[in-house]
Every structure is written in structure tokens, then in C-alpha cells.
Amino acid sequence: EKGSPTVVGLLVLGNIIILMSGLALFAETVWVTADQYRVYPLLGVSGKDDVFAGAWIAIFTGFSFFVVASFGIGAVLCHSRGMLLTYLLLMLIVYVFECASSITSYTHRDYVVSNPALITKQMLTYYNAPTSQGQELTRFWDRVMIEQQCCGTSGPLDWVNFTSAFREATPEVVFPWPPLCCRRDANFNPLNEDGCRLGHQDYLFTKGCFEHIGHAIDSYTWGISWFGFAILMWTLPVMLLAMYYYTIL
Amino acid sequence: MGGAWGAPFSLLLLLISYRTVTSLDQIPYTPQISALALEGKVTAATFSLEQPRCIFSELAAPADAVWLVVAFSNATEDFQNPKTAAEIPSYTELSSSFYYMTLKLSPDLYPCEEEDIAVLRVGSDTNCLRNLSQEYCNAPLLAPGPYRVKFLVMDNNGQPKAETWWSDPITLNQGKDPRSIDTWPGRRSGCMIVITSILSTFAGLLVIAFLIASTVQFSSLWWPEDPSPPEQLHIGSFIGKRYTTHHIPPSEADTLPVGRGAHLPPGPCPAPIV
């Protein structure tokens, strides 16, 4: 059998890059599933948690790219038609799965953080609600508001402009917004409770938390969707070249 | 003589004193919502007014009281300044007469000195809800309004002395139902369309290319090619097949060509399969 050395060289090079990228994708999506920002409760309650489903698929496809590309290097160097056919078939399957991961991840990210509406509605409905989902989201919001020094989704006025589960539990004159929105000193006492109730910016966090949440989910999505997209863009010419090589082998 | 002048004179005195009592001093001030950057200026049950500083200094004595009159916008004409302490409408009358008076404070609390956060919050007292018959109760407002307010200075006998103008209508911020929030993301974002369309196209392209490549390759199996002609040796001028027989001496056996096609060097790869 003949085998043009240029094509063989290009295919080996292409597959080396695919296997390295696949390993990087695998490692990066493990980071995503570890959820350092701990935003999973938000997505889980909304039912739009396929950003993480895309991450799980990408763990599988990243490692598969590594394995199949290594096999492909062997197939090309052995000038073997059978191995090359197996390589093409496996690579096609992994390609399709990776496409699915990339598309799903981005679409669900759009549902959740393209505008603050979904998160605002969820916060108003579940914060301080007595259900188990409510408790989970209350823990989430309490943690985010303290760590990021923010209040509400777009600001404390979310609690004034809408009724909420929090409003049912706490009348407005007691506290118009959650007490965790107050600025506190080192001993965790509010600096000025009346100032916080009135809403003076020295005593209340006036920033909204949406920026932080949006940044967290965007980081995950960029790592799954766009990185996967880049790998697939590179894999396409390599696979077309491999198919051409298969026909001339 | 003194007695004859007495009755009309005393009547005149009475008339004069009546007019001075009813002609209130008008203070040229309009109450308004605080101009400070406060998030909770107007909420669903309270609102925060700017404190009326430095306007009562000439007219009010320290023993007087400055009251805040709160009325619905359409009830301001019906409101008459109370002439005695007993006529002061309390919070309970808000639902029946549509006005009430609250926040009885001394004019000393409105000095001329500037202060950082100076607001007057209407509706901030939840404790007096338990005992609504108190003299004045600054309980949270139940209806969204619109309300208009003015300040009224009364002396310690309950006689009104001065008043400000009515404020502009203040409407409270009734919260909307969160179920009314529309969570539809609207248009698909450009990035999502790019990713989906490009990846779908490429995946389809690859599948088609794979089918073509495998068809090209396997079609050669279905349609067998002409078998290549057997090896031919030139022995002198005779062109014919060379047969190997058992009668070939071993020394000549080494010169016979072995097999067809090129050698493959021995290696790790499996035997070639077609």
C-alpha cells in the first residue's frame, strides 16, 4: 500500500493537537462540574441545568478525543485501512456528542442569564419560602449576599417593586429587604439598622448580585461551548484529510 | 354710658378676636419626599419626607406642636383644621374621613443646622397598631394613595397657628406579583445561533464525507478488478509460465522468485487486511 508522507505527517500532527486539546477539555470540564462558584442550586431549581449536563458530556468526549486521536496516530502510521476506518467511525461519534454538549450548554445558559428576569422571579418566589427548594435557595442567596456584598438581583428595590415570599414572612416596616443586605461591622452587627431600613447607601448594599451570578455561569459556558467549538473546528479538517487518506490507501 | 357702649364694643372685640384666630399664618413651604439617595424613600406602606428645617423658627414657640396632616388627594378640600385638641383626627379615622394627623413633634426638633440624614418617615411605627386609641399613631399606611400632606402648627391649647401648603400627590409603591415577570429570553442570542448552525453543518458534512469515502472504498470490493497477469519469465526467447516441480534440485530452488508483491518489513502492525 502506498501512503503519501505529507498526508501522513499532517494527520499525525493534527491528531496530536486533537489529543492534547481533548485532554485539556477533559480537565477543564472537571473544573466546571466541581462548581467552584456553587451556583448549581439556581440552575437546579429552575430546571435549566443543562449547562452542567453539557459539562458531563464534555468530560466524556474530551477523554474520548484523547484516546481516539492516539489510536488514529497508530492507524495512520501503520497504513492500515481497517484501523483507519475504526478511527473515522469512533471520531464521528465523539464529534456528534461534543456538538451536542456545546449547543446544549449555550442554549441553557441563555435561558438563565441572558437577562435578570428568571433569576429575579426565582429569588422572589423562593427566598424565605418554607419549602425545601426555598431553604436551599435561601442559603444560596444569603451566602452570595454576604460574600459579594450585594442585595437582590438588580438591587434592593427588587424587594420593594415586587411582592415576595420574603415579604409574606417579614412586613415591610420591619425590614423592606433582607437584613443581610445591611452593611455590617467586623462583629457582624449592622452599622446602622435604621439607615439600612431607609436605604442609605452607607448602610446598605445597593449593588445587585446578578453580575456575579452571570459571570459564574458565563465562565462555565464559555469553557464548555466555545472551547468545544474551537476543538471541533480543528477536528473537521483533520477528519476530512483522514477520509481522503483512507480512499487513497 | 359705659353699659350702652359695652355690648356692641364687646361684640366688636369678639369679632376681632374671632378673625385673628381663624386667619392662620401661611408658611411658604411645600412638603416633599426626601431628596437624599435613599432606596426606601417610597415603599408600599411608608414614605420619607424631607424634614421641614428652619421654617418654623419665627412663627412657632417651643411649647407649640408641629403636626403632620396626611390626607388622600381627593379629601384635602374636606379637611378643616381642628380647633381643639379633641378634634384632632387619629389614625383610625383614615379609613372613614380619609385624613388623619400624626407625628406630633416640637419645633425645636427642626433647627436650622444641617444634618446628614434628616428624614421624616411616615408609617414607621408598628407598635401603636396594638393600641390605636393613642393620641397619635404613625402606623403603616394600608392603601397606595395618592396622599397629600401638610404641616400644621398648633399651640398648647390645641388652636392652630400656622400651616404650610399641601404637598404634591404621593403614590405608594405597591409591589407587583412576581408571577408577572416574563422569563422568556426573547430572541435567540447571536452566539447560540452561530454555534448551533456551524456545528450542525460540520457534523452533517462529516457524515456525508464519511459515507462517500466508505462508498468509494468498498465499491472496489464489490466490483472485482481484472486479476493481474501472472509472473512471466524470459528464458531465452520463450515466453511462458514457469512451473515449479518436485524435480528441481535444491540448489536451484533458491533462485526461484518468492511470492508476489513487495515485502513488508516485520513490525508491530497487524497483517494487512483489505
Side-chain angles (χ1 to χ4, degrees):
Chain A
E1 288 98 319
K2 53 196 184 300
S4 157
T6 326
V7 177
V8 169
L10 283 176
L11 278 175
V12 169
L13 178 69
N15 276 302
I16 285 177
I17 294 182
I18 291 177
L19 75 88
M20 290 196 295
S21 324
L23 211 54
L25 181 70
F26 168 74
E28 195 260 337
T29 45
V30 167
W31 170 78
V32 170
T33 31
D35 197 8
Q36 168 214 339
Y37 291 109
R38 282 178 281 161
V39 293
Y40 183 75
L42 273 186
L43 300 179
V45 170
S46 70
K48 302 277 185 278
D49 59 348
D50 277 2
V51 175
F52 287 97
W56 283 106
I57 297 176
I59 291 180
F60 156 71
T61 57
F63 194 69
S64 303
F65 270 131
F66 171 67
V67 169
V68 174
S70 316
F71 177 73
I73 293 176
V76 160
L77 289 175
C78 285
H79 308 272
S80 156
R81 270 200 212 106
M83 284 172 80
L84 205 53
L85 185 67
T86 316
Y87 162 77
L88 286 176
L89 209 54
L90 288 177
M91 210 49 167
L92 201 58
I93 294 171
V94 178
Y95 195 95
V96 168
F97 269 99
E98 180 56 37
C99 284
S101 155
S102 181
I103 294 172
T104 312
S105 197
Y106 205 94
T107 309
H108 277 245
R109 172 255 171 210
D110 270 355
Y111 276 130
V112 181
V113 291
S114 57
N115 59 40
L118 185 93
I119 295 193
T120 309
K121 183 171 182 174
Q122 194 186 68
M123 174 186 80
L124 293 168
T125 317
Y126 286 103
Y127 184 82
N128 270 2
T131 62
S132 61
Q133 285 176 327
Q135 283 169 355
E136 182 144 10
L137 277 183
T138 307
R139 271 196 298 270
F140 169 81
W141 276 103
D142 286 345
R143 178 176 49 83
V144 169
M145 289 199 289
I146 295 174
E147 278 176 11
Q148 303 299 321
Q149 298 190 330
C150 56
C151 183
T153 309
S154 318
L157 283 179
D158 283 343
W159 304 102
V160 170
N161 290 335
F162 294 96
T163 60
S164 53
F166 167 75
R167 175 70 55 241
E168 279 168 45
T170 313
E172 194 186 62
V173 283
V174 175
F175 246 107
W177 30 72
L180 282 174
C181 289
C182 298
R183 289 188 195 268
R184 289 161 187 272
D185 60 15
N187 288 329
F188 207 67
N189 297 319
L191 289 177
N192 184 335
E193 218 171 280
D194 284 324
C196 182
R197 252 189 228 106
L198 279 174
H200 194 266
Q201 64 177 25
D202 285 343
Y203 305 117
L204 176 75
F205 298 132
T206 48
K207 188 177 69 163
C209 300
F210 182 69
E211 205 184 304
H212 166 76
I213 293 170
H215 167 75
I217 296 180
D218 279 347
S219 305
Y220 294 163
T221 308
W222 263 228
I224 302 165
S225 277
W226 285 117
F227 189 27
F229 182 77
I231 295 176
L232 294 176
M233 290 282 275
W234 173 261
T235 309
L236 176 84
V238 173
M239 279 183 75
L240 289 176
L241 194 63
M243 287 177 198
Y244 165 71
Y245 183 62
Y246 178 66
T247 57
I248 67 171
L249 203 54
Chain B
M1 176 80 152
W5 284 109
F9 188 65
S10 55
L11 192 62
L12 192 64
L13 269 173
L14 204 63
L15 280 170
I16 293 169
S17 65
Y18 182 74
R19 238 180 323 145
T20 37
V21 162
T22 52
S23 61
L24 284 182
D25 288 326
Q26 189 76 25
I27 304 174
Y29 171 76
T30 313
Q32 54 194 348
I33 300 285
S34 172
L36 296 170
L38 299 171
E39 302 276 340
K41 270 192 281 203
V42 177
T43 66
T46 69
F47 57 91
S48 300
L49 293 170
E50 194 180 62
Q51 277 189 4
R53 288 186 165 242
C54 213
I55 61 169
F56 300 119
S57 35
E58 312 92 45
L59 294 161
D64 297 335
V66 179
W67 287 83
L68 181 74
V69 182
V70 181
F72 282 97
S73 295
N74 48 11
T76 50
E77 289 82 30
D78 302 335
F79 178 75
Q80 302 289 335
N81 292 329
K83 297 182 201 49
T84 63
E87 286 181 25
I88 293 176
S90 69
Y91 178 76
T92 44
E93 290 185 43
L94 182 62
S95 36
S96 49
S97 331
F98 305 117
Y99 48 76
Y100 74 111
M101 288 171 62
T102 183
L103 281 173
K104 174 187 179 187
L105 292 164
S106 163
D108 292 340
L109 291 172
Y110 303 128
C112 283
E113 289 82 36
E114 279 292 315
E115 207 184 275
D116 270 341
I117 307 172
V119 292
L120 208 59
R121 198 160 184 235
V122 178
S124 62
D125 189 0
T126 39
N127 294 325
C128 72
L129 281 172
R130 281 178 237 126
N131 183 13
L132 283 172
S133 56
Q134 279 178 343
E135 190 190 358
Y136 62 93
C137 181
N138 190 16
L141 301 162
L142 296 171
Y147 296 97
R148 296 179 78 177
V149 299
K150 73 171 181 182
F151 290 100
L152 188 64
V153 183
M154 300 176 83
D155 62 19
N156 49 5
N157 294 330
Q159 300 282 345
K161 277 173 67 175
E163 63 177 8
T164 64
W165 292 321
W166 284 102
S167 70
D168 292 329
I170 299 165
T171 312
L172 297 183
N173 194 354
Q174 287 293 90
K176 293 190 284 269
D177 191 350
R179 282 184 290 254
S180 66
I181 301 177
D182 182 15
T183 57
W184 177 244
R187 275 184 63 236
R188 296 293 183 187
S189 67
C191 295
M192 181 247 156
I193 292 177
V194 162
I195 290 177
T196 310
S197 53
I198 291 181
L199 288 185
S200 312
T201 315
F202 283 1
L205 187 70
L206 277 180
V207 170
I208 291 171
F210 176 73
L211 289 174
I212 290 174
S214 51
T215 312
V216 165
Q217 196 55 265
F218 286 117
S219 63
S220 62
L221 272 181
W222 287 109
W223 303 321
E225 300 156 8
D226 298 319
S228 51
E231 292 273 336
Q232 294 178 351
L233 288 174
H234 297 268
I235 300 175
S237 58
F238 175 70
I239 300 169
K241 292 188 190 171
R242 169 85 187 221
Y243 293 99
T244 54
T245 64
H246 294 292
H247 301 291
I248 299 172
S251 56
E252 285 189 27
D254 293 333
T255 59
L256 289 174
V258 181
R260 307 192 219 175
H263 262 295
L264 274 178
C269 302
I273 47 173
V274 178

